[in-house]
Amino acid sequence: MRILFVGDIVGKAGRQAVRTHLPNCISRWSVHLTIVNGENAADTGFGITRPIYDELLAAGADVITLGNHSWNRKEALQFIDECPRLVRPVNYLAGTPGKGALLIEVRNGRRALVINALGRLFMEPVEDPFGRIGAELDANPLVRAVEATIVDFHCEATGEKHAAGHFCDGRASLVVGTHTHTPSADDRILPGGTAFMTDVGMTGDYNSIVGMVREEPLRRFTTGIPSARFEPASGEATLCAVLVETDDRSGLALSIAPVRIGGCLKPALPSFADEKS
Ligand code: FE2
């Protein structure tokens, strides 16, 4: 199974990059399952709206994951239960609307499990992500229940993301970090067969401070005084993603490669996908 995971889509610029590049990526690499992180996709750069959920599905996303900004657009608390492909962190408190894991049928008739979780270091308080992820993995084991499992670990701390990768190693097809908005260079397959990347990077304008227009964050760092709202940067975005190929017989990874298209980052394309197509 070929799985494409697109990193945090930031504002209008990020959505434009998704509309421009995602359909071609899906067809060129014969992708079976496309997951995007949409927690920054609103025009403000924080949260998601119902029209944007529809827009991302129309661009080719099969599943949309969230993160610490899930509820910045308050209407998401209402519409999430009407959006079957929207997944919020699994380790929110009991009673939170929506779902933290989604079992879906993929384009080729196989089954996949998508889990979204929040880290706890340098983040708002949430329940234990490891226990919640482990419960989902135990309930839906690779091979017996699903052909692939993908974990979006939305988290600030590198060490916690590494721990999530090793915690899931051999039990998930892909563990990918989101939230820090900068792609790491450590995409690889862990010893137990799980593809891993500490952070996939954002799909946004990198001529910015984590996707935001530079002036206000710079002012806050240099003076300590907030004086305006953060605004998403509007230059050409880089689509940042990771492409993984898995073995349907084991659910484990065969190949992983980063994807970077457009904007000001160095391009990266998954040569393994073109060679085998
Ligand atoms: Fe985030």
Side-chain angles (χ1 to χ4, degrees), residues 109-175:
R110 301 180 181 102
R111 298 150 302 170
L113 175 69
V114 180
I115 305 169
N116 185 203
L118 275 174
R120 289 191 292 186
L121 293 181
F122 315 118
M123 310 283 284
E124 296 289 321
V126 283
E127 303 279 13
D128 167 30
F130 294 91
R132 303 297 286 271
I133 293 170
E136 294 293 340
L137 295 178
D138 289 345
N140 302 281
L142 284 178
V143 182
R144 273 188 288 148
V146 293
E147 277 75 31
T149 293
I150 299 89
V151 179
D152 170 0
F153 199 71
H154 197 81
C155 171
E156 185 75 36
T158 300
E160 195 174 7
K161 286 173 170 171
H162 286 187
H166 289 288
F167 178 77
C168 298
D169 190 18
R171 296 193 288 166
S173 313
L174 168 67
V175 176

Side-chain angles (χ1 to χ4, degrees), residues 15 40 43-44 53 56 66 70 74 91 95 114 120 127 135 167 169-171 175 186 204 210 215 237 240 260:
R15 293 187 343 252
N40 300 118
D43 288 355
T44 57
Y53 167 80
L56 296 176
L66 295 171
S70 299
K74 296 293 176 224
N91 53 325
V114 180
R120 289 191 292 186
E127 303 279 13
F167 178 77
D169 190 18
R171 296 193 288 166
V175 176
D186 62 342
V210 293
E215 281 70 17
C240 279
R260 295 189 296 273

Side-chain angles (χ1 to χ4, degrees), residues 11 27 92 104 115 156 167 174 212 234 243:
S27 61
Y92 279 146
I104 60 162
I115 305 169
E156 185 75 36
F167 178 77
L174 168 67
M212 297 292 143
S234 57
L243 183 71

Side-chain angles (χ1 to χ4, degrees):
M1 188 185 301
R2 281 195 180 166
I3 301 159
L4 183 68
F5 186 101
V6 178
D8 316 35
I9 299 160
V10 180
K12 289 181 183 174
R15 293 187 343 252
Q16 179 63 54
V18 167
R19 289 195 303 271
T20 302
H21 303 299
L22 187 59
N24 184 44
C25 292
I26 292 169
S27 61
R28 176 176 173 181
W29 301 320
S30 304
V31 173
H32 300 111
L33 172 63
T34 301
I35 304 158
V36 306
N37 184 292
E39 73 134 12
N40 300 118
D43 288 355
T44 57
F46 300 102
I48 189 167
T49 65
R50 177 65 200 255
I52 291 173
Y53 167 80
D54 293 330
E55 177 187 331
L56 296 176
L57 292 186
D62 298 303
V63 181
I64 300 166
T65 54
L66 295 171
N68 57 309
H69 294 300
S70 299
W71 315 125
N72 278 62
R73 295 299 303 249
K74 296 293 176 224
E75 64 264 39
L77 288 162
Q78 307 298 325
F79 69 72
I80 192 166
D81 284 320
E82 301 159 11
C83 297
R85 300 303 181 103
L86 192 55
V87 183
R88 50 79 170 162
V90 72
N91 53 325
Y92 279 146
L93 301 183
T96 302
K99 58 196 168 298
L102 174 63
L103 201 54
I104 60 162
E105 192 160 304
V106 183
R107 286 199 181 91
N108 56 4
R110 301 180 181 102
R111 298 150 302 170
L113 175 69
V114 180
I115 305 169
N116 185 203
L118 275 174
R120 289 191 292 186
L121 293 181
F122 315 118
M123 310 283 284
E124 296 289 321
V126 283
E127 303 279 13
D128 167 30
F130 294 91
R132 303 297 286 271
I133 293 170
E136 294 293 340
L137 295 178
D138 289 345
N140 302 281
L142 284 178
V143 182
R144 273 188 288 148
V146 293
E147 277 75 31
T149 293
I150 299 89
V151 179
D152 170 0
F153 199 71
H154 197 81
C155 171
E156 185 75 36
T158 300
E160 195 174 7
K161 286 173 170 171
H162 286 187
H166 289 288
F167 178 77
C168 298
D169 190 18
R171 296 193 288 166
S173 313
L174 168 67
V175 176
V176 62
T178 55
H179 178 69
T180 54
H181 289 198
T182 304
S184 58
D186 62 342
D187 52 283
R188 67 194 189 283
I189 298 174
L190 298 176
T194 297
F196 177 76
M197 187 173 183
T198 301
D199 203 292
V200 65
M202 69 170 168
T203 295
D205 174 9
Y206 278 80
N207 195 10
S208 69
I209 295 177
V210 293
M212 297 292 143
V213 173
R214 291 165 290 181
E215 281 70 17
E216 176 59 16
L218 261 179
R219 196 179 298 124
R220 292 192 195 185
F221 280 119
T222 55
T223 69
I225 301 169
S227 53
R229 303 178 86 149
F230 289 147
E231 298 289 340
S234 57
E236 184 187 346
T238 304
L239 182 139
C240 279
V242 65
L243 183 71
V244 173
E245 179 150 17
T246 62
D247 181 347
D248 286 331
R249 292 166 300 181
S250 66
L252 298 173
L254 298 170
S255 307
I256 178 171
V259 175
R260 295 189 296 273
I261 303 172
C264 60
L265 292 196
K266 287 179 185 167
L269 295 173
S271 58
F272 79 81
D274 284 329
E275 287 163 9
K276 292 178 185 175
S277 291

